[in-house]
């Protein structure tokens, strides 16, 4: 079970936004991620395999971060997961951009937010 009460007991890093901001930001980002994938999928190109692989890996990492952080309360493991996610988002952006520029560009806000989340995760690790 995810323990959000535990999260509120943690010492927060500087720049931690209010909790209510996460749901609308992630809702917007998931829409742009889906749109980016559709644009990439619809583009006729034979060299899209690595893009699909990078996309799949970063999405799996995205989906497991929450249970790792909130479920296991393992802040260090969550930090490793999110750093790997950052790397695979960058790889995804690069491959999507090569095939369809806009599909890569619209993932940049996702990368920025995830890098910010990495800073927060690192802060939670250091402070707790």
């Amino acid at each position: 079970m995810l323990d959000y009460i535990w999260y509120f007991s943690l010492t927060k890093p500087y720049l931690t936004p209010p909790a209510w901001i996460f749901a609308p930001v992630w809702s917007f980002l998931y829409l742009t991620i889906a749109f980016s994938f559709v644009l990439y999928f619809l583009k006729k190109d034979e060299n899209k395999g690595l893009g699909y692989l990078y996309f799949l890996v970063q999405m799996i990492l995205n989906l497991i971060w929450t249970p790792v952080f909130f479920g296991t309360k393992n802040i260090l493991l969550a930090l490793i997961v999110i750093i790997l996610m950052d790397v695979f988002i960058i790889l995804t952006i690069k491959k999507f951009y090569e095939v369809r520029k806009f599909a890569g560009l619209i993932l940049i806000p996702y990368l920025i937010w995830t890098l910010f989340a990495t800073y927060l995760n690192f802060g939670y690790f250091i402070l707790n």
Side-chain angles (χ1 to χ4, degrees):
M1 180 172 175
L2 301 181
D3 191 348
Y4 294 100
I5 295 170
W6 165 79
Y7 168 76
F8 289 110
S9 73
L10 296 174
T11 302
K12 309 282 185 281
Y14 184 71
L15 298 179
T16 299
W20 63 265
I21 200 79
F22 290 95
V25 168
W26 276 110
S27 296
F28 169 77
L29 291 174
Y30 282 128
L31 286 173
T32 62
I33 292 165
F35 184 56
S36 173
F37 181 82
V38 168
L39 289 175
Y40 185 77
F41 175 79
L42 293 176
K43 179 71 173 182
K44 300 290 183 211
D45 191 308
E46 294 180 12
N47 297 317
K48 297 193 306 185
L50 271 179
Y52 288 129
L53 177 63
Y54 295 154
F55 183 86
L56 178 63
V57 171
Q58 66 81 23
M59 282 308 299
I60 290 169
L61 292 165
N62 183 312
L63 293 172
I64 67 170
W65 183 88
T66 298
V68 169
F69 188 88
F70 291 101
T72 68
K73 301 176 187 150
N74 189 332
I75 299 172
L76 176 59
L77 181 58
L79 181 60
I80 293 166
V81 168
I82 203 167
I83 289 169
L84 288 170
M85 191 167 96
D86 295 335
V87 170
F88 278 93
I89 292 170
I90 291 167
L91 292 170
T92 302
I93 290 171
K94 182 180 180 306
K95 279 301 188 186
F96 277 32
Y97 185 84
E98 289 172 3
V99 171
R100 191 165 207 166
K101 287 182 174 48
F102 191 61
L105 292 175
I106 63 174
L107 290 175
I108 291 174
Y110 173 41
L111 175 63
I112 293 168
W113 183 258
T114 305
L115 290 170
F116 177 65
T118 304
Y119 151 77
L120 293 174
N121 195 148
F122 180 75
Y124 284 114
F125 176 68
I126 295 299
L127 295 171
N128 297 279

